[in-house]
Amino acid sequence: INPNKDFYLKLNGPGGKAVHEKNENIDVCVIRECFEEAEIVLRNEKLLKIFEETCYSTKEWRAEPCLQKEAKYIVTLAIYLHPLEEPPKHIEPHTLGPWNLYKIKDLLKHRNELVPVLEENIELIDGKIKTYEQDVLELPINIQKLEEIKIKMEKQPQRTQETFNFLNDIDLEIPEEEIPEILDKQFPVLALNFGKLSSYEIQILIKYKKKIQESIRPLRRIEHKIQTIEKSYKGFKYLSIFNKAERKIIAQKFGENPTIAELSQDNTILHKFRNTIFEFEIHKSSTNKLTYLKLRLPKDQTQINGTTYGKQTWEFFHKNYSKLPLI
């Protein structure tokens, strides 16, 4: 559907180029390209190559015979047969029209709609498919599964001779300025039907996304500033076992979430809390891993002559949880 590309408005099937730099062979290329372009997973045991022809070419994808020294590309036309177990996905709407199922007999009558490499070889392909048809039917696939596939695919739209018109099967990409803008309340309707959107509707959503991105960009800058302030504030707030004047000094010296071991290196802090009891909580992650230690000073602070449930001493935390971040 890109008017700037070769074979604009021509009908093609899944396929592409083998990656020469990675020594990719044709079979691997077919499997990769079918997944990338249609999200169809081809399995090796069901992949049947019916023929392969190679000729030199002066232009990409035009299999025009020429002398090897004149060739710019070497085009290999490899045709594979594979049971179609589910319809292909339309995953490249920005460059390609939607997938449709066509019968070979219709393609033969409308060969001028095809890309050159298929147009020039459609009779050959048709003959090879007929020759191998019986072999395909005898592939080691469960008969019931084949019947299920047949029923499933018969429900998919097919183009008959009477309705065959490739231009009616695709939505052309249009200039962005001609795409209408949607209201916010229209978005959920399109979002809930994402599997059935036309490329035109997808273009509308892409334009809507750009509009949203432009509107939230200033807000994100503000959000970033607030997060910086919030992080600093929480660092001081978390050090609540210290008075407000001390928190900033402690955070600057040890960080926002120091461990008991780090704080115990300061003799002043050690002396201050040596005989203090704390209310505490040990926090864990979803995998039951200890994550941090929460300490608070009880309102009825007293000197130690024993411990109560949910309260412990600095020495206890230093011995058992010295490396847990403190909040």
Side-chain angles (χ1 to χ4, degrees):
I1 61 174
N2 187 339
N4 298 319
K5 295 285 188 178
D6 287 340
F7 319 134
Y8 175 53
L9 299 183
K10 292 289 186 178
L11 190 63
N12 198 7
K17 305 173 188 174
V19 183
H20 176 69
E21 293 78 10
K22 296 183 179 179
N23 295 317
E24 183 180 52
N25 64 35
I26 299 297
D27 292 45
V28 173
C29 173
V30 167
I31 293 171
R32 176 179 57 77
E33 288 284 356
C34 282
F35 180 76
E36 289 177 357
E37 296 185 348
E39 282 193 8
I40 289 177
V41 179
L42 304 182
R43 290 185 290 279
N44 279 317
E45 70 272 14
K46 295 184 182 181
L47 198 63
L48 177 65
K49 179 162 56 179
I50 60 172
F51 81 104
E52 180 177 337
E53 288 195 353
T54 301
C55 61
Y56 302 105
S57 176
T58 52
K59 187 172 182 180
E60 187 178 16
W61 301 128
R62 287 187 183 274
E64 300 172 349
C66 66
L67 297 176
Q68 183 173 356
K69 63 182 181 180
E70 298 174 349
K72 183 177 180 182
Y73 299 94
I74 298 177
V75 177
T76 298
L77 175 63
I79 301 297
Y80 292 77
L81 292 183
H82 186 277
L84 188 59
E85 300 179 16
E86 60 180 42
K89 305 291 191 305
H90 187 204
I91 58 176
E92 296 182 342
H94 55 292
T95 59
L96 299 169
W99 292 109
N100 286 287
L101 303 181
Y102 296 91
K103 294 180 179 179
I104 288 288
K105 67 177 184 179
D106 293 321
L107 298 183
L108 286 164
K109 294 175 182 176
H110 299 270
R111 56 187 301 156
N112 61 324
E113 302 276 5
L114 304 175
V115 295
V117 74
L118 293 180
E119 179 184 358
E120 295 164 9
N121 294 279
I122 190 65
E123 285 92 353
L124 180 61
I125 294 169
D126 178 43
K128 292 292 185 179
I129 288 177
K130 288 176 180 176
T131 301
Y132 280 85
E133 185 177 21
Q134 191 58 40
D135 293 337
V136 173
L137 293 177
E138 292 176 359
L139 282 174
I141 305 172
N142 184 280
I143 298 300
Q144 183 180 352
K145 181 66 176 176
L146 276 174
E147 187 62 27
E148 292 173 0
I149 294 170
K150 180 181 177 183
I151 294 172
K152 187 175 182 180
M153 297 315 299
E154 283 177 348
K155 294 179 180 179
Q156 302 301 320
Q158 296 198 10
R159 298 295 177 263
T160 63
Q161 181 177 351
E162 293 74 24
T163 62
F164 189 99
N165 187 339
F166 178 52
L167 295 181
N168 292 335
D169 291 338
I170 67 172
D171 296 312
L172 300 182
E173 191 165 6
I174 61 176
E176 185 172 341
E177 59 271 14
E178 296 179 19
I179 300 173
E181 292 191 1
I182 62 171
L183 302 175
D184 292 345
K185 64 182 181 181
Q186 293 174 279
F187 171 70
V189 178
L190 290 173
L192 288 173
N193 291 283
F194 68 93
K196 301 178 181 178
L197 296 179
S198 67
S199 59
Y200 177 72
E201 289 171 318
I202 291 172
Q203 291 174 71
I204 291 176
L205 285 175
I206 291 172
K207 185 172 183 177
Y208 178 69
K209 181 189 76 170
K210 291 179 180 178
K211 173 188 171 184
I212 296 296
Q213 287 175 331
E214 288 297 322
S215 64
I216 67 175
R217 189 171 288 117
L219 296 177
R220 282 186 170 162
R221 287 195 290 267
I222 296 171
E223 179 190 27
H224 177 71
K225 291 181 180 178
I226 293 175
Q227 285 175 337
T228 303
I229 296 169
E230 180 186 24
K231 183 178 179 183
S232 175
Y233 164 72
K234 285 184 176 179
F236 305 150
K237 181 182 178 183
Y238 285 172
L239 297 169
S240 63
I241 59 175
F242 299 93
N243 61 45
K244 291 182 179 179
E246 294 173 319
R247 291 176 191 172
K248 186 173 183 179
I249 298 171
I250 298 297
Q252 289 174 340
K253 184 176 181 179
F254 296 100
E256 297 171 358
N257 300 114
T259 65
I260 293 290
E262 291 169 338
L263 293 174
S264 295
Q265 295 173 10
D266 190 309
N267 289 330
T268 304
I269 296 174
L270 196 60
H271 178 74
K272 178 177 181 177
F273 293 124
R274 186 185 301 276
N275 295 320
T276 305
I277 57 176
F278 300 89
E279 292 179 349
F280 72 96
E281 296 175 13
I282 307 294
H283 288 255
K284 299 179 180 181
S285 68
S286 58
T287 58
N288 216 31
K289 181 181 179 180
L290 301 183
T291 53
Y292 55 84
L293 172 66
K294 182 177 181 179
L295 293 187
R296 294 293 180 266
L297 292 171
K299 293 180 180 179
D300 56 339
Q301 185 61 230
T302 58
Q303 296 289 30
I304 293 180
N305 55 12
T307 58
T308 58
Y309 181 76
K311 298 181 181 181
Q312 274 295 355
T313 65
W314 186 272
E315 184 179 353
F316 170 82
F317 299 122
H318 188 272
K319 181 179 179 181
N320 296 282
Y321 303 106
S322 63
K323 295 183 179 181
L324 279 185
L326 178 66
I327 65 170

